[in-house]
C-alpha cells in the first residue's frame, strides 16, 4: 500500500561501499526484483550525484541513465543550498528516461526564507518540469504551524503534488505531518516503527492510525505493516547489542 519505498541513493550508496563492502548497484537490482507493484525512490544530490563535490554533466547524466535502467522509478533531486542550477541536468535526464522527477525545496529558517520565497521556489521547480515537489526538512526543525502555512501556500500556487519529508530528531515530526496533511499535502515520509524516530522518520503505523482517526484514508494494511516490523525488530536489537547502531540517535535532541 505504500506510494513508494525510498531504498537507494543518498547515504545508502556511501554506506554500502564504505562500510559493508557491497555493490550498491547489485543491491538496487535485487530490491527491484522483489518489488512487483510499489515504485522505488532514490535521493539524488543533483550535480553532486551521491558524493560531496560537483561532477561533470556527462557523469550526472550517465548515473541517472544507469539508475533508471537498473529499476529506479522516482528521483528525489535536491541541492543543499537551494541553487536550482545544480539540479537542472539531473532533472532533465530523469525526464528523458521517462521517470518521475521530484524537485526539492530544502527547508531552513533565515531572514529571507519566508513563505513568499518558498512559493517562488515552488513555482520555479514547476516551471522546470518536475512531476512533484518535496519540502525536505532535513533537520526536523519545521513546526506544525510552519508546515500548515507553507503547504497551504504551495497548494494555492502550484499544481504538482506536494510531499513532506521531515526527521523525528526534534520530536515535532508527527504533529508537523498532521498539520501538513490538513493543509492538503499529498504524501508524507515515514519509517517502520522499529527503525523510526530520532534521526529517522516518524513511525508509519502511528501516523496511519492517527490519520485514520481524523478521517484520512490510506492504502496501508496494518496486518502487513506488522509483518514488516516483526522482521526488523530483532535486527534492531541485534545491531544495538553489537554496537553497530547507537541508540543515542533514536532519541529526541
Amino acid at each position: 500500500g505504500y506510494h513508494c519505498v525510498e531504498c537507494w541513493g543518498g547515504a545508502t550508496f556511501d554506506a554500502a561501499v564504505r562500510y559493508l563492502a557491497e555493490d550498491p548497484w547489485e543491491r538496487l537490482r535485487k530490491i527491484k526484483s522483489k518489488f512487483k507493484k510499489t515504485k522505488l525512490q532514490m535521493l539524488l544530490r543533483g550535480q553532486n550525484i551521491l558524493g560531496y563535490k560537483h561532477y561533470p554533466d556527462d557523469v550526472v547524466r550517465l548515473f541517472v541513465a544507469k539508475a533508471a535502467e537498473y529499476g529506479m522509478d522516482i528521483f528525489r533531486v535536491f541541492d543543499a543550498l537551494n541553487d536550482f542550477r545544480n539540479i537542472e541536468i539531473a532533472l532533465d535526464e530523469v525526464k528523458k528516461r521517462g521517470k518521475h522527477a521530484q524537485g526539492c525545496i530544502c527547508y531552513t529558517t533565515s531572514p529571507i526564507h519566508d513563505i513568499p520565497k518558498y512559493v517562488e521556489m515552488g513555482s520555479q521547480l514547476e516551471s522546470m518540469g518536475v512531476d512533484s515537489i518535496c519540502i525536505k526538512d532535513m533537520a526536523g526543525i519545521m513546526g506544525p504551524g510552519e508546515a500548515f502555512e507553507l503547504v497551504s501556500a504551495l497548494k494555492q500556487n502550484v499544481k504538482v503534488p506536494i510531499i513532506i519529508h521531515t526527521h523525528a530528531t526534534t520530536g515535532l515530526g508527527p504533529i508537523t505531518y498532521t498539520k501538513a496533511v490538513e493543509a492538503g499535502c499529498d504524501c508524507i515520509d515515514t519509517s517502520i516503527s522499529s527503525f523510526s524516530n530520532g534521526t529517522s522518520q516518524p513511525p508509519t503505523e502511528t501516523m496511519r492510525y492517527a490519520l485514520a482517526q481524523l478521517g484520512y484514508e490510506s492504502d496501508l494494511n496494518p496486518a502487513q505493516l506488522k509483518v514488516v516490523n516483526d522482521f526488523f525488530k530483532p535486527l534492531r536489537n541485534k545491531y544495538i547489542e553489537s554496537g553497530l547502531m547507537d541508540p543515542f540517535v533514536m532519541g529526541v535532541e
Side-chain angles (χ1 to χ4, degrees):
Y2 288 110
H3 168 64
C4 64
V5 171
E6 184 168 302
C7 60
W8 207 63
T12 67
F13 201 96
D14 190 1
V17 173
R18 190 191 304 261
Y19 302 113
L20 302 176
E22 292 179 1
D23 179 354
W25 297 95
E26 183 63 21
R27 172 181 287 212
L28 177 56
R29 281 194 294 262
K30 286 182 176 179
I31 292 174
K32 187 63 176 179
S33 71
K34 301 297 182 183
F35 279 77
K36 307 303 180 186
K37 297 178 182 179
T38 308
K39 293 179 178 178
L40 301 186
Q41 177 175 296
M42 75 167 292
L43 187 63
L44 187 68
R45 297 167 178 162
Q47 210 66 27
N48 288 14
I49 309 182
L50 299 177
Y52 306 99
K53 64 179 182 180
H54 284 183
Y55 294 93
D57 291 352
D58 56 347
V59 178
V60 174
R61 289 189 182 278
L62 183 59
F63 187 95
V64 170
K66 285 299 177 182
E69 178 186 328
Y70 281 32
M72 191 50 57
D73 301 296
I74 302 174
F75 290 75
R76 174 175 287 178
V77 189
F78 79 100
D79 177 75
L81 299 177
N82 284 322
D83 187 340
F84 294 155
R85 294 173 298 178
N86 291 327
I87 65 175
E88 285 178 337
I89 297 297
L91 288 174
D92 182 66
E93 192 63 31
V94 171
K95 299 291 286 186
K96 283 185 176 178
R97 299 294 162 176
K99 301 297 183 176
H100 184 108
Q102 186 176 108
C104 290
I105 296 171
C106 292
Y107 182 81
T108 187
T109 57
S110 84
I112 66 167
H113 287 90
D114 53 13
I115 296 300
K117 179 64 176 177
Y118 283 127
V119 168
E120 179 188 324
M121 290 181 189
S123 299
Q124 186 179 348
L125 286 172
E126 189 173 49
S127 70
M128 293 169 70
V130 299
D131 299 299
S132 60
I133 294 172
C134 174
I135 302 169
K136 184 171 165 55
D137 176 27
M138 306 85 66
I141 58 174
M142 181 166 55
E146 294 155 333
F148 187 87
E149 190 177 2
L150 178 52
V151 172
S152 297
L154 285 171
K155 294 297 286 187
Q156 292 171 9
N157 288 275
V158 299
K159 294 183 173 60
V160 296
I162 304 296
I163 293 90
I164 300 288
H165 171 92
T166 192
H167 291 254
T169 325
T170 59
L172 288 167
I175 323 168
T176 297
Y177 274 162
T178 302
K179 293 303 290 185
V181 169
E182 288 181 1
C185 92
D186 300 278
C187 190
I188 57 175
D189 287 0
T190 61
S191 174
I192 204 69
S193 58
S194 55
F195 277 101
S196 68
N197 291 322
T199 53
S200 182
Q201 277 68 52
T204 305
E205 302 95 314
T206 304
M207 293 308 305
R208 189 213 66 84
Y209 184 85
L211 291 171
Q213 279 207 347
L214 296 175
Y216 297 97
E217 296 181 1
S218 75
D219 295 327
L220 295 173
N221 182 335
Q224 289 301 313
L225 291 176
K226 185 179 185 305
V227 172
V228 175
N229 194 53
D230 285 348
F231 174 84
F232 282 111
K233 194 182 295 184
L235 290 179
R236 178 191 64 178
N237 296 336
K238 171 186 171 183
Y239 296 148
I240 291 175
E241 289 172 5
S242 70
L244 187 64
M245 187 172 175
D246 187 346
F248 174 79
V249 302
M250 303 168 73
V252 171
E253 175 64 43

